[in-house]
Amino acid sequence: MKVSKKVLIISGILLIVVIGLLIFILSSSKKTQFKKVKIQKGEITQMVTATGNVNPVTTIIIGTRVSGTIVALYADYNSQVKKGQLIAEIDPTPFENELKQSEADLLNSKATLFKAEVTLKDAERTLKRKQELFRRELIARSELDDAETAYSTARAQYEIALAQVKKAEAGLRQARTNLGYTKIVSPVTGVVIAKNVEVGQTVAASFQTPTLFTIAPDLTKMQVDTNVDEADISKIKVGMEASFTVDAYPDRKFKGTVSQIRLSPTVTQNVVTYNVVISVDNSHLLLKPGMTANVTFVVESKKGVVKIPNAALRFKMPDSPPSKQQGVWVIRDGKPVRVNVRTGISDGEWAELIEGDIKEGEEVITDIGAQKKGTTQTTPRAPVRF
């Protein structure tokens, strides 16, 4: 029994040693492998992406200058309206009453003016008689003074009455104008894209003009208002072509042209963006106001250039000293070697090679990993420990 225990112990030790040797041999058979990509030649298109909304080029907001109750509507959503067409009406009764009151005020002021004119003429005749009598020394100076005072008073009353007539005439014109404002007409020919009132609703124009309708004169010409980040705004130029998609037609690309870069910034949570306006032909009438647009601006496009993968530009060899110069790693004579390069435009995946000791077809390192001989595994594996 004692001999058997020793044999078992020795056998166990030998087994552990053999397993350890096998693991050591397998671990030593691993070698560092690199993921590499060949340098290619082709086309690179640098783009800037943004989101925005489709809007009519011009929208006309129809309001009201007077307050009152809506008694009739002659237009609805999507209604085609013409310039001068009646589209809504406010209850005219209060304004008709004001017009009648203004007419009566004008008649009253004219009557007052006529009376003041008669009084003025009588005072003028009296003054002339008094002046003649005073010249002949038939009356006292006080009587002439009284006549002059009466004439001046009559003259003043006449001027006041004349002013009241003009005021009444202005009030009459205003009453007629207000009555006319009860009929809401379209100032342009177009399509109603928004209606904000219903029959029976009271609108108040005391502080600001209430919006009744919004009309788009021409839906065949639209614009996309996009928000471009401040880091990319320098790349956008007026006249640049842009393409975009909308969720309603995901498989269709719409094209437009940058017509305006607005200088007023928009700041949202410390992110600064600028509104870039894209003019779009909508003669097919597929685009609707308010649609969300995913916009792509083509900044620059080059054909037949040598391209380096951006992953190679980002790759850094472990324990390599830092360098301010842009570069990539290649395998030369079985060893990784760093090559300084200078790049141009990039599409996010590939970058244009402008300068560097590297040629088309040569492989650059994009990643690093350990793998066994004869396998294609590139992901790093942790060493086995006891």
Side-chain angles (χ1 to χ4, degrees), residues 101-175:
Q101 180 66 43
S102 298
E103 291 174 345
D105 291 341
L106 179 59
L107 291 175
N108 183 57
S109 60
K110 285 183 176 180
T112 303
L113 177 62
F114 179 74
K115 180 180 179 182
E117 185 178 5
V118 172
T119 304
L120 177 61
K121 289 181 178 179
D122 181 63
E124 185 179 8
R125 288 194 298 266
T126 302
L127 176 60
K128 289 181 178 180
R129 288 197 303 267
K130 297 289 185 179
Q131 288 174 341
E132 181 63 24
L133 293 174
F134 180 75
R135 187 178 62 82
R136 297 180 181 180
E137 298 181 353
L138 297 176
I139 59 174
R141 177 67 188 184
S142 59
E143 292 186 26
L144 178 60
D145 292 341
D146 292 340
E148 289 177 347
T149 301
Y151 174 78
S152 298
T153 302
R155 183 70 185 181
Q157 292 296 327
Y158 173 80
E159 295 294 338
I160 292 174
L162 183 61
Q164 291 296 327
V165 170
K166 293 181 178 181
K167 181 179 179 181
E169 289 175 343
L172 179 61
R173 287 193 298 269
Q174 184 62 50

Side-chain angles (χ1 to χ4, degrees), residues 18-163:
V18 170
I19 293 175
L21 288 174
L22 288 175
I23 292 175
F24 175 76
I25 292 171
L26 291 175
S27 299
S28 63
S29 67
K30 296 179 183 179
K31 68 175 183 179
T32 301
Q33 292 290 326
F34 299 100
K35 184 177 180 181
K36 295 171 287 185
V37 177
K38 286 185 178 181
I39 301 298
Q40 301 179 11
K41 200 171 187 179
E43 181 181 1
I44 293 182
T45 301
Q46 186 177 14
M47 298 178 292
V48 173
T49 59
T51 58
N53 294 98
V54 179
N55 296 309
V57 175
T58 305
T59 54
I60 307 299
I61 297 177
I62 310 300
T64 174
R65 300 283 296 272
V66 295
S67 302
T69 303
I70 302 293
V71 294
L73 289 175
Y74 305 106
D76 205 341
Y77 290 99
N78 303 334
S79 295
Q80 298 280 346
V81 296
K82 296 182 179 180
K83 183 177 181 179
Q85 178 180 334
L86 182 65
I87 57 177
E89 190 173 359
I90 295 176
D91 184 10
T93 303
F95 303 96
E96 290 174 348
N97 294 335
E98 288 182 6
L99 179 60
K100 293 178 181 178
Q101 180 66 43
S102 298
E103 291 174 345
D105 291 341
L106 179 59
L107 291 175
N108 183 57
S109 60
K110 285 183 176 180
T112 303
L113 177 62
F114 179 74
K115 180 180 179 182
E117 185 178 5
V118 172
T119 304
L120 177 61
K121 289 181 178 179
D122 181 63
E124 185 179 8
R125 288 194 298 266
T126 302
L127 176 60
K128 289 181 178 180
R129 288 197 303 267
K130 297 289 185 179
Q131 288 174 341
E132 181 63 24
L133 293 174
F134 180 75
R135 187 178 62 82
R136 297 180 181 180
E137 298 181 353
L138 297 176
I139 59 174
R141 177 67 188 184
S142 59
E143 292 186 26
L144 178 60
D145 292 341
D146 292 340
E148 289 177 347
T149 301
Y151 174 78
S152 298
T153 302
R155 183 70 185 181
Q157 292 296 327
Y158 173 80
E159 295 294 338
I160 292 174
L162 183 61

Side-chain angles (χ1 to χ4, degrees), residues 214-275:
T214 302
I215 297 178
D218 188 5
L219 289 180
T220 62
K221 295 179 181 179
M222 305 286 277
Q223 69 181 32
V224 179
D225 294 298
T226 66
N227 296 317
V228 178
D229 190 84
E230 61 176 329
D232 297 323
I233 195 64
S234 62
K235 304 172 186 175
I236 309 300
K237 308 295 180 184
V238 174
M240 178 183 294
E241 291 186 358
S243 61
F244 64 94
T245 60
V246 294
D247 293 340
Y249 310 99
D251 299 328
R252 177 163 182 166
K253 272 193 174 182
F254 299 89
K255 293 186 178 180
T257 305
V258 176
S259 60
Q260 190 179 49
I261 302 174
R262 295 181 178 171
L263 301 179
S264 176
T266 300
V267 182
T268 305
Q269 295 181 350
N270 294 328
V271 177
V272 180
T273 59
Y274 292 87
N275 184 11

Side-chain angles (χ1 to χ4, degrees), residues 193-351:
I193 61 175
K195 184 189 72 170
N196 301 319
V197 291
E198 297 294 341
V199 174
Q201 183 176 340
T202 300
V203 292
S206 302
F207 301 102
Q208 61 181 5
T209 302
T211 301
L212 306 183
F213 297 92
T214 302
I215 297 178
D218 188 5
L219 289 180
T220 62
K221 295 179 181 179
M222 305 286 277
Q223 69 181 32
V224 179
D225 294 298
T226 66
N227 296 317
V228 178
D229 190 84
E230 61 176 329
D232 297 323
I233 195 64
S234 62
K235 304 172 186 175
I236 309 300
K237 308 295 180 184
V238 174
M240 178 183 294
E241 291 186 358
S243 61
F244 64 94
T245 60
V246 294
D247 293 340
Y249 310 99
D251 299 328
R252 177 163 182 166
K253 272 193 174 182
F254 299 89
K255 293 186 178 180
T257 305
V258 176
S259 60
Q260 190 179 49
I261 302 174
R262 295 181 178 171
L263 301 179
S264 176
T266 300
V267 182
T268 305
Q269 295 181 350
N270 294 328
V271 177
V272 180
T273 59
Y274 292 87
N275 184 11
V276 177
V277 181
I278 304 170
S279 298
V280 181
D281 177 25
N282 191 38
S283 55
H284 41 63
L285 297 178
L286 296 178
L287 299 174
K288 305 293 189 292
M291 283 184 169
T292 300
N294 301 308
V295 184
T296 300
F297 300 93
V298 178
V299 177
E300 189 175 358
S301 182
K302 292 184 179 181
K303 295 182 179 180
V305 298
V306 179
K307 305 191 299 183
I308 296 180
N310 286 348
L313 296 171
R314 294 190 298 266
F315 174 77
K316 293 182 179 180
M317 187 66 68
D319 301 328
S320 63
S323 176
K324 295 182 179 180
Q325 177 70 32
Q326 195 176 29
V328 295
W329 290 84
V330 298
I331 301 296
R332 291 180 179 172
D333 298 328
K335 297 180 180 180
V337 178
R338 191 177 190 277
V339 178
N340 293 333
V341 297
R342 187 164 64 90
T343 59
I345 65 173
S346 172
D347 61 3
E349 183 179 1
W350 297 86

